[in-house]
Amino acid sequence: MNLRGGWELIKKSYLGWMASRGFFWTLTFGWMVPSLLYLFVWVAVAGQGQIQGSTRDDFIVYYLCLIMLNQFTYPVCNWTVGDSIRMGRLSDWLLRPLPVMFEAIASDIAMKMVCTPFAVTVTVVLAFFLRPAVHFSPQSVLFFLLAFLLAQVLRFLMAYTLALLALWNSRADALLDLNDSLVFLLAGQVAPIALLPGALRALAAVLPYRYMLGFPIELLIGRLSTTEIWQGFAWQCAWVIGVLFLYRFVWKHGLRHYTSVGG
Amino acid sequence: MWYYLRLIGSFLRASIQEETASRVNFMLNILNTILSLTTGVLGIVILFHLVTTIQGWTFPQTLALLGIYQLITALQNLVIQPSMNSLGGIGGDAWTGRFDYTLQAPVSTQFLVSFQKWRLWGLVDVVLSCVILGIALTLLGGQLGLLQVAMFVLALCISLLIVYAIFLLLTSASLWQHGVPLVWIFTSFMQLGRYPVGIYPGMLKLVLTWIVPVAFITTVPVEILTKQVSPIMLVGGAGIALGLLVFASAFFRMSLRHYTGASS
């Protein structure tokens, strides 16, 4: 592990991006809007009476957590890695004495450092205006942190693996769009998973998307039973391992297809 | 006038040639539209499987609103967005300095900036959003009078004028300050127009009505089709559209005087 090299990569990307932070804050705002939209929709709905036991405050807490978590787990490599492969920048990365994945991880961390102040400000302002009653137990916070870490790894790996498909076909972006739509529907953005209609809820429980976003928040809010908690963790770990194998496979075979562009 | 129409014709031809070069884009574009429509419709279905109305809006009415939102975005992406984006977007003409050539052309610069680039695949989006709107209207039942249809078309034109004026305003602003894609902020706000503006809390509702007039852009046309709307809303909307248009054109000309070129 070349940690110093990794840190230098983070610093490089961070400084480069702070130079155009207005651009990235606009981007951050764009990522926030769907969650924000459904926050207001559900708050308006809950204002007419409880929805399956969820009150207005429950929805506010859920969606404010979602905005922050989505910000932290959103994979930047979604778009940058595919572009770098198409433009031939991957050649530079291959020559470095560092694993290629370091570049993607570094830009991911740096991007989050640039965007976080903005996301935190918006969330705090919203919390100040909406004033939900919040209560988290220490145990659920612990569970949350663990699930959050796994969610971060899972979402990043999934996006990175899909972006690597550009090694075969330069139009792999369509799959990324599909992936984003599924995150929106099945990760708990359009509605908390518990409120989805039966078939979609069953689908969400076995697909990886819930474990990228919704599951950690459900743990934090503390509505899950002990069995549900362990089932969730089991699925989450299984998906991390599964996607890890998928990544190894795609990287090993994809690299042989890579032919550089540009000089 | 004839001259300008002929120019639009050649812009259209150039765009067709550019786009037919990569046919994959066509399929990708359809896929994108279908995804965006499916997630939109499913979102509404999920919501209405738990409640029957939201702030007085029923399922078909909310679906109609989604159809209108998609229709206006599709029309905007047909010519307004691609043209303005090729000037003020990332790596656009204002960025690279190619705008200097646009300025030298012997036609109105605002005309060139507004109509120079078309994305004709967007017509598929227009058709698909009309299908959604059609389904919603069928679910609603009831007859549409001729007057209602006329008012609807008028409201749609007003909406597009407002969208055009805002794009022109924000693109002009990008001549002053590169690097912040202001248009994206507007399109993000526009997304809030997928649901009735009435559901938002007070402050945001005011912003969405008067500062980013999403309320006039999406809510008024659908209210004409599904509820009773007094013609005063249309007159008000037309007033806002004209006011914005005059202001945006003035600001555009001012920005042109400020523009000093980007090439070295």
PDB file of all heavy atoms in Angstrom, chain A residues 19-40:
ATOM      1  N   ALA A  19     -10.492  25.177  -6.973  1.00  0.00           N
ATOM      2  CA  ALA A  19     -10.375  26.328  -7.860  1.00  0.00           C
ATOM      3  C   ALA A  19     -11.700  26.616  -8.561  1.00  0.00           C
ATOM      4  O   ALA A  19     -12.002  27.747  -8.894  1.00  0.00           O
ATOM      5  CB  ALA A  19      -9.279  26.082  -8.884  1.00  0.00           C
ATOM      6  N   SER A  20     -12.505  25.573  -8.788  1.00  0.00           N
ATOM      7  CA  SER A  20     -13.803  25.838  -9.423  1.00  0.00           C
ATOM      8  C   SER A  20     -14.918  25.314  -8.529  1.00  0.00           C
ATOM      9  O   SER A  20     -15.731  24.514  -8.941  1.00  0.00           O
ATOM     10  CB  SER A  20     -13.858  25.210 -10.804  1.00  0.00           C
ATOM     11  OG  SER A  20     -13.320  23.914 -10.764  1.00  0.00           O
ATOM     12  N   ARG A  21     -14.929  25.783  -7.269  1.00  0.00           N
ATOM     13  CA  ARG A  21     -15.907  25.225  -6.332  1.00  0.00           C
ATOM     14  C   ARG A  21     -17.324  25.658  -6.674  1.00  0.00           C
ATOM     15  O   ARG A  21     -18.261  24.915  -6.395  1.00  0.00           O
ATOM     16  CB  ARG A  21     -15.553  25.569  -4.892  1.00  0.00           C
ATOM     17  CG  ARG A  21     -15.296  27.030  -4.617  1.00  0.00           C
ATOM     18  CD  ARG A  21     -14.774  27.218  -3.201  1.00  0.00           C
ATOM     19  NE  ARG A  21     -14.414  28.601  -2.970  1.00  0.00           N
ATOM     20  CZ  ARG A  21     -13.252  29.128  -3.360  1.00  0.00           C
ATOM     21  NH1 ARG A  21     -12.353  28.378  -3.975  1.00  0.00           N
ATOM     22  NH2 ARG A  21     -12.988  30.396  -3.154  1.00  0.00           N
ATOM     23  N   GLY A  22     -17.478  26.826  -7.298  1.00  0.00           N
ATOM     24  CA  GLY A  22     -18.825  27.257  -7.693  1.00  0.00           C
ATOM     25  C   GLY A  22     -19.478  26.211  -8.565  1.00  0.00           C
ATOM     26  O   GLY A  22     -20.639  25.836  -8.380  1.00  0.00           O
ATOM     27  N   PHE A  23     -18.701  25.678  -9.491  1.00  0.00           N
ATOM     28  CA  PHE A  23     -19.175  24.638 -10.393  1.00  0.00           C
ATOM     29  C   PHE A  23     -19.613  23.405  -9.609  1.00  0.00           C
ATOM     30  O   PHE A  23     -20.689  22.849  -9.832  1.00  0.00           O
ATOM     31  CB  PHE A  23     -18.056  24.292 -11.371  1.00  0.00           C
ATOM     32  CG  PHE A  23     -18.313  23.077 -12.189  1.00  0.00           C
ATOM     33  CD1 PHE A  23     -19.167  23.129 -13.268  1.00  0.00           C
ATOM     34  CD2 PHE A  23     -17.698  21.877 -11.881  1.00  0.00           C
ATOM     35  CE1 PHE A  23     -19.405  22.010 -14.031  1.00  0.00           C
ATOM     36  CE2 PHE A  23     -17.922  20.755 -12.638  1.00  0.00           C
ATOM     37  CZ  PHE A  23     -18.790  20.815 -13.713  1.00  0.00           C
ATOM     38  N   PHE A  24     -18.771  22.988  -8.648  1.00  0.00           N
ATOM     39  CA  PHE A  24     -19.086  21.758  -7.925  1.00  0.00           C
ATOM     40  C   PHE A  24     -20.236  21.941  -6.952  1.00  0.00           C
ATOM     41  O   PHE A  24     -20.994  21.019  -6.692  1.00  0.00           O
ATOM     42  CB  PHE A  24     -17.839  21.226  -7.217  1.00  0.00           C
ATOM     43  CG  PHE A  24     -16.885  20.615  -8.182  1.00  0.00           C
ATOM     44  CD1 PHE A  24     -15.733  21.267  -8.544  1.00  0.00           C
ATOM     45  CD2 PHE A  24     -17.190  19.413  -8.777  1.00  0.00           C
ATOM     46  CE1 PHE A  24     -14.883  20.718  -9.467  1.00  0.00           C
ATOM     47  CE2 PHE A  24     -16.341  18.844  -9.703  1.00  0.00           C
ATOM     48  CZ  PHE A  24     -15.181  19.501 -10.049  1.00  0.00           C
ATOM     49  N   TRP A  25     -20.375  23.161  -6.421  1.00  0.00           N
ATOM     50  CA  TRP A  25     -21.513  23.387  -5.519  1.00  0.00           C
ATOM     51  C   TRP A  25     -22.813  23.355  -6.311  1.00  0.00           C
ATOM     52  O   TRP A  25     -23.838  22.886  -5.822  1.00  0.00           O
ATOM     53  CB  TRP A  25     -21.327  24.693  -4.745  1.00  0.00           C
ATOM     54  CG  TRP A  25     -20.214  24.578  -3.735  1.00  0.00           C
ATOM     55  CD1 TRP A  25     -19.520  23.423  -3.449  1.00  0.00           C
ATOM     56  CD2 TRP A  25     -19.650  25.589  -2.910  1.00  0.00           C
ATOM     57  NE1 TRP A  25     -18.569  23.682  -2.496  1.00  0.00           N
ATOM     58  CE2 TRP A  25     -18.616  24.991  -2.148  1.00  0.00           C
ATOM     59  CE3 TRP A  25     -19.909  26.940  -2.735  1.00  0.00           C
ATOM     60  CZ2 TRP A  25     -17.856  25.705  -1.221  1.00  0.00           C
ATOM     61  CZ3 TRP A  25     -19.153  27.652  -1.818  1.00  0.00           C
ATOM     62  CH2 TRP A  25     -18.140  27.030  -1.066  1.00  0.00           C
ATOM     63  N   THR A  26     -22.752  23.828  -7.539  1.00  0.00           N
ATOM     64  CA  THR A  26     -23.935  23.719  -8.398  1.00  0.00           C
ATOM     65  C   THR A  26     -24.284  22.252  -8.618  1.00  0.00           C
ATOM     66  O   THR A  26     -25.447  21.844  -8.547  1.00  0.00           O
ATOM     67  CB  THR A  26     -23.673  24.375  -9.752  1.00  0.00           C
ATOM     68  OG1 THR A  26     -23.062  25.620  -9.540  1.00  0.00           O
ATOM     69  CG2 THR A  26     -24.947  24.550 -10.524  1.00  0.00           C
ATOM     70  N   LEU A  27     -23.250  21.456  -8.864  1.00  0.00           N
ATOM     71  CA  LEU A  27     -23.418  20.023  -9.078  1.00  0.00           C
ATOM     72  C   LEU A  27     -24.055  19.386  -7.837  1.00  0.00           C
ATOM     73  O   LEU A  27     -25.002  18.599  -7.936  1.00  0.00           O
ATOM     74  CB  LEU A  27     -22.042  19.418  -9.318  1.00  0.00           C
ATOM     75  CG  LEU A  27     -21.903  18.295 -10.319  1.00  0.00           C
ATOM     76  CD1 LEU A  27     -22.348  18.773 -11.680  1.00  0.00           C
ATOM     77  CD2 LEU A  27     -20.453  17.841 -10.388  1.00  0.00           C
ATOM     78  N   THR A  28     -23.520  19.755  -6.668  1.00  0.00           N
ATOM     79  CA  THR A  28     -24.030  19.218  -5.409  1.00  0.00           C
ATOM     80  C   THR A  28     -25.505  19.547  -5.253  1.00  0.00           C
ATOM     81  O   THR A  28     -26.308  18.703  -4.860  1.00  0.00           O
ATOM     82  CB  THR A  28     -23.274  19.849  -4.215  1.00  0.00           C
ATOM     83  OG1 THR A  28     -21.899  19.870  -4.524  1.00  0.00           O
ATOM     84  CG2 THR A  28     -23.504  19.060  -2.957  1.00  0.00           C
ATOM     85  N   PHE A  29     -25.848  20.781  -5.590  1.00  0.00           N
ATOM     86  CA  PHE A  29     -27.243  21.193  -5.492  1.00  0.00           C
ATOM     87  C   PHE A  29     -28.118  20.323  -6.391  1.00  0.00           C
ATOM     88  O   PHE A  29     -29.192  19.880  -5.991  1.00  0.00           O
ATOM     89  CB  PHE A  29     -27.365  22.675  -5.868  1.00  0.00           C
ATOM     90  CG  PHE A  29     -28.767  23.180  -5.813  1.00  0.00           C
ATOM     91  CD1 PHE A  29     -29.430  23.254  -4.601  1.00  0.00           C
ATOM     92  CD2 PHE A  29     -29.432  23.556  -6.963  1.00  0.00           C
ATOM     93  CE1 PHE A  29     -30.730  23.707  -4.552  1.00  0.00           C
ATOM     94  CE2 PHE A  29     -30.732  24.011  -6.917  1.00  0.00           C
ATOM     95  CZ  PHE A  29     -31.378  24.085  -5.709  1.00  0.00           C
ATOM     96  N   GLY A  30     -27.610  20.042  -7.588  1.00  0.00           N
ATOM     97  CA  GLY A  30     -28.341  19.189  -8.518  1.00  0.00           C
ATOM     98  C   GLY A  30     -28.580  17.798  -7.952  1.00  0.00           C
ATOM     99  O   GLY A  30     -29.659  17.234  -8.109  1.00  0.00           O
ATOM    100  N   TRP A  31     -27.581  17.221  -7.256  1.00  0.00           N
ATOM    101  CA  TRP A  31     -27.752  15.900  -6.656  1.00  0.00           C
ATOM    102  C   TRP A  31     -28.770  15.922  -5.533  1.00  0.00           C
ATOM    103  O   TRP A  31     -29.437  14.951  -5.242  1.00  0.00           O
ATOM    104  CB  TRP A  31     -26.432  15.392  -6.069  1.00  0.00           C
ATOM    105  CG  TRP A  31     -25.380  15.121  -7.074  1.00  0.00           C
ATOM    106  CD1 TRP A  31     -25.595  14.802  -8.386  1.00  0.00           C
ATOM    107  CD2 TRP A  31     -23.976  15.140  -6.878  1.00  0.00           C
ATOM    108  NE1 TRP A  31     -24.388  14.616  -9.007  1.00  0.00           N
ATOM    109  CE2 TRP A  31     -23.388  14.810  -8.113  1.00  0.00           C
ATOM    110  CE3 TRP A  31     -23.152  15.393  -5.796  1.00  0.00           C
ATOM    111  CZ2 TRP A  31     -22.005  14.733  -8.286  1.00  0.00           C
ATOM    112  CZ3 TRP A  31     -21.787  15.309  -5.959  1.00  0.00           C
ATOM    113  CH2 TRP A  31     -21.215  14.990  -7.195  1.00  0.00           C
ATOM    114  N   MET A  32     -28.851  17.066  -4.865  1.00  0.00           N
ATOM    115  CA  MET A  32     -29.721  17.186  -3.703  1.00  0.00           C
ATOM    116  C   MET A  32     -31.188  17.281  -4.082  1.00  0.00           C
ATOM    117  O   MET A  32     -32.046  16.846  -3.328  1.00  0.00           O
ATOM    118  CB  MET A  32     -29.348  18.487  -3.006  1.00  0.00           C
ATOM    119  CG  MET A  32     -28.830  18.339  -1.637  1.00  0.00           C
ATOM    120  SD  MET A  32     -28.516  20.006  -1.097  1.00  0.00           S
ATOM    121  CE  MET A  32     -26.805  19.885  -0.762  1.00  0.00           C
ATOM    122  N   VAL A  33     -31.452  17.884  -5.245  1.00  0.00           N
ATOM    123  CA  VAL A  33     -32.828  18.259  -5.561  1.00  0.00           C
ATOM    124  C   VAL A  33     -33.829  17.097  -5.516  1.00  0.00           C
ATOM    125  O   VAL A  33     -34.885  17.257  -4.904  1.00  0.00           O
ATOM    126  CB  VAL A  33     -32.898  19.027  -6.894  1.00  0.00           C
ATOM    127  CG1 VAL A  33     -34.289  19.056  -7.454  1.00  0.00           C
ATOM    128  CG2 VAL A  33     -32.400  20.432  -6.679  1.00  0.00           C
ATOM    129  N   PRO A  34     -33.520  15.895  -6.099  1.00  0.00           N
ATOM    130  CA  PRO A  34     -34.526  14.828  -6.009  1.00  0.00           C
ATOM    131  C   PRO A  34     -34.887  14.471  -4.566  1.00  0.00           C
ATOM    132  O   PRO A  34     -36.073  14.304  -4.252  1.00  0.00           O
ATOM    133  CB  PRO A  34     -33.852  13.649  -6.711  1.00  0.00           C
ATOM    134  CG  PRO A  34     -32.857  14.265  -7.607  1.00  0.00           C
ATOM    135  CD  PRO A  34     -32.374  15.497  -6.923  1.00  0.00           C
ATOM    136  N   SER A  35     -33.891  14.391  -3.678  1.00  0.00           N
ATOM    137  CA  SER A  35     -34.186  14.078  -2.277  1.00  0.00           C
ATOM    138  C   SER A  35     -35.010  15.193  -1.652  1.00  0.00           C
ATOM    139  O   SER A  35     -35.955  14.950  -0.902  1.00  0.00           O
ATOM    140  CB  SER A  35     -32.903  13.898  -1.472  1.00  0.00           C
ATOM    141  OG  SER A  35     -32.023  13.049  -2.133  1.00  0.00           O
ATOM    142  N   LEU A  36     -34.628  16.421  -1.984  1.00  0.00           N
ATOM    143  CA  LEU A  36     -35.320  17.595  -1.454  1.00  0.00           C
ATOM    144  C   LEU A  36     -36.787  17.591  -1.897  1.00  0.00           C
ATOM    145  O   LEU A  36     -37.696  17.839  -1.108  1.00  0.00           O
ATOM    146  CB  LEU A  36     -34.621  18.834  -2.016  1.00  0.00           C
ATOM    147  CG  LEU A  36     -34.453  20.040  -1.128  1.00  0.00           C
ATOM    148  CD1 LEU A  36     -33.796  19.665   0.170  1.00  0.00           C
ATOM    149  CD2 LEU A  36     -33.623  21.088  -1.843  1.00  0.00           C
ATOM    150  N   LEU A  37     -36.987  17.260  -3.192  1.00  0.00           N
ATOM    151  CA  LEU A  37     -38.334  17.217  -3.757  1.00  0.00           C
ATOM    152  C   LEU A  37     -39.200  16.231  -2.979  1.00  0.00           C
ATOM    153  O   LEU A  37     -40.312  16.556  -2.549  1.00  0.00           O
ATOM    154  CB  LEU A  37     -38.228  16.807  -5.224  1.00  0.00           C
ATOM    155  CG  LEU A  37     -39.499  16.434  -5.978  1.00  0.00           C
ATOM    156  CD1 LEU A  37     -40.465  17.587  -5.983  1.00  0.00           C
ATOM    157  CD2 LEU A  37     -39.159  16.060  -7.408  1.00  0.00           C
ATOM    158  N   TYR A  38     -38.673  15.011  -2.755  1.00  0.00           N
ATOM    159  CA  TYR A  38     -39.487  14.009  -2.075  1.00  0.00           C
ATOM    160  C   TYR A  38     -39.600  14.283  -0.581  1.00  0.00           C
ATOM    161  O   TYR A  38     -40.559  13.864   0.057  1.00  0.00           O
ATOM    162  CB  TYR A  38     -38.993  12.602  -2.408  1.00  0.00           C
ATOM    163  CG  TYR A  38     -39.508  12.234  -3.775  1.00  0.00           C
ATOM    164  CD1 TYR A  38     -38.752  12.453  -4.911  1.00  0.00           C
ATOM    165  CD2 TYR A  38     -40.813  11.787  -3.932  1.00  0.00           C
ATOM    166  CE1 TYR A  38     -39.258  12.200  -6.170  1.00  0.00           C
ATOM    167  CE2 TYR A  38     -41.336  11.534  -5.184  1.00  0.00           C
ATOM    168  CZ  TYR A  38     -40.561  11.731  -6.295  1.00  0.00           C
ATOM    169  OH  TYR A  38     -41.077  11.501  -7.539  1.00  0.00           O
ATOM    170  N   LEU A  39     -38.615  15.010  -0.001  1.00  0.00           N
ATOM    171  CA  LEU A  39     -38.781  15.474   1.378  1.00  0.00           C
ATOM    172  C   LEU A  39     -40.050  16.314   1.477  1.00  0.00           C
ATOM    173  O   LEU A  39     -40.927  16.068   2.310  1.00  0.00           O
ATOM    174  CB  LEU A  39     -37.568  16.310   1.802  1.00  0.00           C
ATOM    175  CG  LEU A  39     -37.719  17.188   3.042  1.00  0.00           C
ATOM    176  CD1 LEU A  39     -37.806  16.345   4.296  1.00  0.00           C
ATOM    177  CD2 LEU A  39     -36.563  18.159   3.181  1.00  0.00           C
ATOM    178  N   PHE A  40     -40.191  17.301   0.576  1.00  0.00           N
ATOM    179  CA  PHE A  40     -41.356  18.184   0.633  1.00  0.00           C
ATOM    180  C   PHE A  40     -42.649  17.437   0.307  1.00  0.00           C
ATOM    181  O   PHE A  40     -43.686  17.684   0.929  1.00  0.00           O
ATOM    182  CB  PHE A  40     -41.170  19.373  -0.311  1.00  0.00           C
ATOM    183  CG  PHE A  40     -40.103  20.314   0.148  1.00  0.00           C
ATOM    184  CD1 PHE A  40     -39.087  20.711  -0.703  1.00  0.00           C
ATOM    185  CD2 PHE A  40     -40.105  20.795   1.447  1.00  0.00           C
ATOM    186  CE1 PHE A  40     -38.092  21.577  -0.267  1.00  0.00           C
ATOM    187  CE2 PHE A  40     -39.111  21.656   1.891  1.00  0.00           C
ATOM    188  CZ  PHE A  40     -38.103  22.044   1.029  1.00  0.00           C
TER     189      PHE A  40
END
